Amino acid sequence: MSSINDNIQFVSGVGPKRAEQITAELGISTIEEMMYYFPYKYIDRTKVYSISEIHPDLQYIQLRGRILEFKYIGAGKGKRLTARFYDKTGAIELVWFKGLTWITKTYKTNVEYVIFGKPTLFSNNINITHPEIEDAVRFEKSLTTSLQPQYSVSEKLKAQFVTSKTIRLIQENIFKQFVSHIHESLPDFLLDKLKLTSLKDALFQAHFPQSPEKLRNAQFRLKFEELFYIQINLLKQKAFRKGKSNCFVFKKEKDNLTKQLYKNLPFQLTNAQIRVLGEIRVDFISGKQMNRLLQGDVGSGKTLVALLSMLMAVDNGFQACIMAPTEILANQHFKTISRFCGEIGVVVRLLTGSTKKSVRKELHEKLQKNEVNLLIGTHALIEDEVKFSNLGLVVIDEQHRFGVAQRARLWQKNEIEPHILVMTATPIPRTLAMTLYGDLDISVIDELPPGRKPIKTMHFFENSTLSVFGFLRKEIAKGRQVYVVFPLIKESEKLDYKDLEDGYAGYSRDFSPPEYLISVVHGKMKPAEKEIAMNLFAKGKANILISTTVIEVGVDVPNASVMVIESAERFGLSQLHQLRGRVGRGADQSYCILMSGDKLSNDARKRLEIMVETNNGFEIADKDMEIRGPGDIEGTQQSGLPFQLKIADLGTDGRILQTARHEAEMILKHDLFLKLPQNQIIVNQINKLSNNEINWSRIS
Ligand code: ADP
Ligand code: MG
């Protein structure tokens, strides 16, 4: 007897070859995985058009009729197959460019078919290219109702004749063969309490909805379940961490360095910074490991919070480190932090990919002898040779750029795991935070240092370049400096560098020595060259810094008050916001100028509008998620969400997520170890999921 854990080849009508194709392209191998491969949309198939009603403006339509005859047209590459398809009211042309022989073998003349496709007008005739064709008798018997599921398949699969329809037929056969194998995965009390559809019904309705309402209920249940199990895992993880009582205690009475630094500060901490430091302090004296996410908009002063936290560790005889995603940023942190620490006698060192071997060796030794208090660097910190004497706190800046595994290696450097502070500069939407960092405590700096004038953001089309240049000249005359950023998108690196070079040429014509000095930074430069170029700008010698997105994160030049973003339509929202955050750090009025071509997609126009409208990073993060969905949120793509959501959407299912988190909290509150019989089903499901792709223990 087969089971739903078997390979899909055992579903009738699939077989080994097709199974292999599907696995290769969609990553689905078991029958159960296929059951969880949900349609991306449903098409209303109640309406059958008459051929006389067709016009080329119609979207996908359904016709019922017969094929009169097949005809080959053309030769060689242009060869195609056509068929006349008729009903009582008229006839149209069906056209195929691929799989011609297979089509003529599979479909017969004078058999009644239901066909489905999009009508187009071609040399005055209406035709349908590559229609979906189904035997009319079979169509009536199929499980499909008015809402026909559409499954996404790759181009490659289509070329192998595995289409949305193929997947649908496979789903039908799965339900016919395996419906009795579907076992409930949520406890009864939850089904009752939230009036959830059973798993069996929900899966069926998700593929073959009998009504829009049933589909909604099915989707609710499946989304709830997906989010519920994520939350229960995260919350368990969090509770267990808090249950462990073996982390370092940083006693407050020892806070000498922290106090000294505080006294030397040229400004007052903001209330938000003070509140967050208080939250961190509570963790430090709790005896339990801190796992805290620090969110704050660009320029909100996270670095200082990190430094004060690190000094609490040093005050208590521990070392601390901060890991940044780029060398430029690590350098920047090193400079800022050294400046603060020089006065109070704390030893700060830098370690990056370009640190010389001899320096490294000496550094490794000093680290082990506790002769270095603070280590700042890039992912070079996680190399095995880097060993601390007693690492008490790890700070990870701009955390989403580091892969899950990379991060885990840092906190395995001690026998006892150090305290962890994760900082994100890109505010992330609440739903995403709850899912990505649901096992962390979250602190938010929701206030900018006082005296900052909100940045003015303007959007110009490229034909306004001259007046923009005029504006830049005025700002430079006031002593301000200007960033100019060109996009760098991996797919077309050559093109991008061309943009940068052309752009540089354009700027240098109008801004030439001796009056002006332009500095250039891009990813293809050696670190030393970058350093020189950055320094020219940081020291105020260059008026303009032209760069690709290497300056995206963390760079701090308070005198720079204008950010020009070229081809702004090619950037994502959070990236634009990040870039804008490079200015507005001094006391002067700052500007962000978004330059774009005049042909803008709807999404691009929306992004630029949002940028002009608001300076609030959290608002932008939410809008970003609405426009693009969570899978595309800046950064999460690189390191990846630690899991893929099959049905829930963090952009739109915030309410379901709240419910799921609440229910998970309630259950764990009463039964943390899930020992009650009513929770057994949850334990089983957790075990089952953990055997699949997700490694929950390290998702932060
Ligand atoms: P973030 O990392 O959150 O983007 P930074 O830590 O780089 O921000 O801080 C931005 C700038 O604001 C730095 O120049 C920093 O010295 C300054 N700053 C930080 N806190 C304050 C404060 N409370 N008052 C005035 N300036 C501050
Ligand atoms: Mg920063």
Side-chain angles (χ1 to χ4, degrees):
M1 186 61 192
S2 41
S3 91
I4 54 175
N5 298 318
D6 285 341
N7 191 281
I8 39 173
Q9 63 172 295
F10 299 110
V11 177
S12 58
V14 178
K17 185 166 157 233
R18 207 148 252 200
E20 221 171 84
Q21 293 167 336
I22 291 175
T23 307
E25 285 298 297
L26 301 180
I28 296 169
S29 30
T30 70
I31 293 165
E32 186 173 30
E33 281 164 8
M34 185 55 104
M35 286 177 169
Y36 280 84
Y37 190 62
F38 296 112
Y40 69 95
K41 68 171 176 185
Y42 303 84
I43 291 173
D44 187 348
R45 295 200 65 170
T46 37
K47 167 103 182 137
V48 177
Y49 279 80
S50 309
I51 287 179
S52 61
E53 288 177 286
I54 303 180
H55 54 89
D57 297 337
L58 285 171
Q59 284 302 312
Y60 284 85
I61 54 162
Q62 192 163 243
L63 300 170
R64 196 175 179 126
R66 294 163 195 269
I67 291 171
L68 187 63
E69 55 175 354
F70 286 104
K71 215 192 276 173
Y72 285 101
I73 296 180
K77 272 204 169 156
K79 186 168 169 183
R80 58 191 190 274
L81 176 68
T82 66
R84 273 200 89 60
F85 183 82
Y86 68 97
D87 67 6
K88 277 182 234 136
T89 66
I92 57 158
E93 201 102 298
L94 308 181
V95 184
W96 294 268
F97 299 97
K98 280 188 209 152
L100 312 187
T101 333
W102 186 80
I103 299 286
T104 48
K105 267 198 220 140
T106 311
Y107 301 113
K108 311 259 174 305
T109 52
N110 282 319
V111 172
E112 185 161 37
Y113 289 121
V114 172
I115 72 159
F116 179 72
K118 190 180 168 354
T120 48
L121 193 63
F122 184 72
S123 56
N124 265 335
N125 283 315
I126 287 184
N127 62 41
I128 296 182
T129 316
H130 285 258
E132 206 176 276
I133 303 184
E134 199 156 352
D135 184 285
V137 181
R138 219 204 103 84
F139 180 75
E140 243 131 59
K141 278 204 232 133
S142 81
L143 294 173
T144 298
T145 54
S146 58
L147 294 166
Q148 178 173 293
Q150 294 291 307
Y151 299 90
S152 63
V153 286
S154 63
E155 286 307 313
K156 192 162 172 194
L157 280 178
K158 279 185 205 158
Q160 292 163 333
F161 303 104
V162 179
T163 61
S164 171
K165 179 179 142 192
T166 321
I167 304 288
R168 174 162 51 84
L169 297 179
I170 294 174
Q171 301 288 14
E172 281 192 33
N173 287 337
I174 287 179
F175 275 97
K176 286 177 190 155
Q177 279 176 275
F178 294 96
V179 71
S180 62
H181 296 241
I182 301 172
H183 300 299
E184 186 48 58
S185 49
L186 285 173
D188 284 342
F189 67 89
L190 268 185
L191 297 181
D192 290 346
K193 182 176 172 194
L194 300 172
K195 301 199 173 50
L196 299 173
T197 314
S198 72
L199 180 61
K200 204 180 280 183
D201 286 347
L203 284 173
F204 182 78
Q205 295 294 338
H207 292 285
F208 306 105
Q210 308 297 301
S211 73
E213 197 198 345
K214 285 188 171 155
L215 174 60
R216 264 197 310 278
N217 291 339
Q219 286 173 327
F220 183 88
R221 184 237 138 92
L222 293 167
K223 288 172 174 192
F224 172 84
E225 172 174 0
E226 185 167 44
L227 297 169
F228 172 79
Y229 278 107
I230 289 173
Q231 289 304 323
I232 208 145
N233 272 302
L234 288 167
L235 290 167
K236 255 177 64 188
Q237 196 68 33
K238 185 171 171 180
F240 287 154
R241 272 195 190 141
K242 299 216 162 196
K244 276 198 275 181
S245 56
N246 59 350
C247 204
F248 317 118
V249 174
F250 301 160
K251 292 209 178 83
K252 189 173 177 154
E253 305 77 69
K254 294 192 176 169
D255 276 359
N256 303 320
L257 296 165
T258 323
K259 281 182 198 134
Q260 274 187 53
L261 180 73
Y262 204 95
K263 259 192 239 148
N264 290 349
L265 277 183
F267 43 71
Q268 301 240 301
L269 293 183
T270 62
N271 288 333
Q273 284 171 317
I274 292 171
R275 174 173 37 80
V276 167
L277 280 164
E279 288 163 1
I280 291 171
R281 162 68 71 194
V282 170
D283 290 348
F284 282 167
I285 56 176
S286 71
K288 289 160 192 171
Q289 188 191 22
M290 173 173 79
N291 275 279
R292 189 166 285 280
L293 173 73
L294 175 56
Q295 279 210 73
D297 214 336
V298 269
S300 60
K302 293 183 293 294
T303 313
L304 193 61
V305 168
L307 174 58
L308 285 165
S309 312
M310 292 196 292
L311 290 181
M312 294 181 206
V314 178
D315 267 326
N316 282 270
F318 289 90
Q319 295 165 299
C321 70
I322 179 163
M323 181 161 79
T326 65
E327 238 178 278
I328 289 186
L329 187 54
N331 279 319
Q332 174 100 32
H333 278 325
F334 177 66
K335 273 183 207 144
T336 318
I337 289 175
S338 305
R339 204 172 55 228
F340 282 124
C341 290
E343 301 164 24
I344 54 175
V346 172
V347 183
V348 189
R349 295 291 300 265
L350 175 71
L351 176 64
T352 68
S354 28
T355 307
K356 290 209 183 68
K357 243 197 183 147
S358 55
V359 177
R360 245 172 227 249
K361 195 157 164 273
E362 175 243 30
L363 178 56
H364 290 162
E365 283 165 15
K366 289 206 159 148
L367 272 174
Q368 292 213 40
K369 289 194 221 145
N370 201 8
E371 287 170 11
V372 171
N373 305 119
L374 300 182
L375 182 63
I376 305 199
T378 54
H379 51 267
L381 297 196
I382 56 183
E383 279 161 18
D384 289 336
E385 308 89 67
V386 182
K387 294 198 184 80
F388 292 82
S389 149
N390 57 351
L391 181 62
L393 169 64
V394 170
V395 179
I396 301 174
D397 195 9
E398 322 283 353
Q399 92 100 29
H400 59 255
R401 288 169 178 262
F402 291 105
V404 174
Q406 275 182 324
R407 279 180 258 130
R409 281 177 64 186
L410 244 186
W411 46 92
Q412 282 157 0
K413 285 199 178 284
N414 271 21
E415 221 157 279
I416 297 181
E417 291 187 359
H419 294 291
I420 314 286
L421 181 66
V422 167
M423 306 198 291
T424 68
T426 325
I428 49 176
R430 225 183 106 67
T431 50
L432 191 60
M434 253 164 67
T435 309
L436 273 179
Y437 310 113
D439 64 331
L440 304 188
D441 294 305
I442 297 183
S443 288
V444 181
I445 307 186
D446 48 8
E447 178 185 2
L448 292 180
R452 300 249 173 101
K453 297 197 177 90
I455 302 163
K456 285 193 181 142
T457 302
M458 300 168 279
H459 170 213
F460 291 101
F461 293 105
E462 267 147 16
N463 55 14
S464 311
T465 300
L466 282 184
S467 54
V468 170
F469 277 11
F471 175 75
L472 299 185
R473 247 182 251 119
K474 269 193 219 147
E475 286 300 301
I476 293 172
K478 288 187 210 157
R480 304 287 100 78
Q481 290 169 280
V482 176
Y483 290 105
V484 179
V485 178
F486 285 86
L488 181 60
I489 297 162
K490 276 208 189 82
E491 285 83 11
S492 57
E493 249 182 60
K494 269 205 188 118
L495 196 88
D496 291 331
Y497 282 109
K498 190 163 174 315
D499 281 357
L500 181 76
E501 278 166 18
D502 291 353
Y504 174 65
Y507 276 85
S508 42
R509 244 175 278 133
D510 276 63
F511 298 92
S512 55
E515 223 185 328
Y516 300 101
L517 183 63
I518 299 181
S519 191
V520 184
V521 183
H522 59 75
K524 283 195 176 166
M525 286 161 84
K526 294 210 179 77
E529 295 172 325
K530 261 191 234 173
E531 179 79 23
I532 292 170
M534 282 303 299
N535 272 336
L536 270 181
F537 190 70
K539 297 221 167 85
K541 292 194 179 116
N543 321 93
I544 300 181
L545 179 72
I546 295 192
S547 77
T548 52
T549 43
V550 285
I551 64 145
E552 182 189 338
V553 276
V555 174
D556 191 13
V557 182
N559 189 51
S561 65
V562 185
M563 166 62 68
V564 182
I565 305 175
E566 296 277 351
S567 305
E569 73 272 28
R570 286 168 71 187
F571 289 94
L573 256 181
S574 61
Q575 215 181 0
L576 288 170
H577 180 64
Q578 234 359 89
L579 286 168
R580 177 167 60 183
R582 296 310 109 215
V583 297
R585 299 190 159 217
D588 312 301
Q589 175 62 55
S590 291
Y591 302 90
C592 174
I593 297 176
L594 306 169
M595 302 295 294
S596 80
D598 40 4
K599 285 208 188 86
L600 293 178
S601 71
N602 271 343
D603 277 1
R605 181 167 325 110
K606 237 189 264 169
R607 285 199 295 272
L608 299 181
E609 278 169 16
I610 292 169
M611 284 297 293
V612 172
E613 252 162 50
T614 178
N615 270 315
N616 181 322
F618 288 93
E619 219 174 281
I620 288 175
D622 282 339
K623 295 247 162 92
D624 200 12
M625 183 120 111
E626 263 168 45
I627 297 180
R628 299 194 302 166
D632 288 328
I633 289 288
E634 220 77 61
T636 55
Q637 240 177 353
Q638 282 165 21
S639 47
L641 283 169
F643 40 78
Q644 266 215 301
L645 293 175
K646 293 193 175 80
I647 187 162
D649 175 346
L650 295 178
T652 51
D653 296 330
R655 210 174 50 86
I656 307 179
L657 174 59
Q658 295 283 1
T659 312
R661 183 156 176 113
H662 175 73
E663 293 304 328
E665 272 166 355
M666 297 303 283
I667 290 169
L668 292 175
K669 195 169 140 197
H670 295 117
D671 183 20
L672 178 58
F673 295 95
L674 300 173
K675 294 265 192 261
L676 294 176
Q678 70 199 56
N679 290 330
Q680 185 55 43
I681 205 166
I682 299 177
V683 178
N684 298 347
Q685 188 66 10
I686 289 175
N687 291 339
K688 187 175 152 190
L689 293 171
S690 71
N691 288 336
N692 298 346
E693 72 264 45
I694 309 167
N695 179 1
W696 291 106
S697 62
R698 285 292 174 198
I699 93 157
S700 64

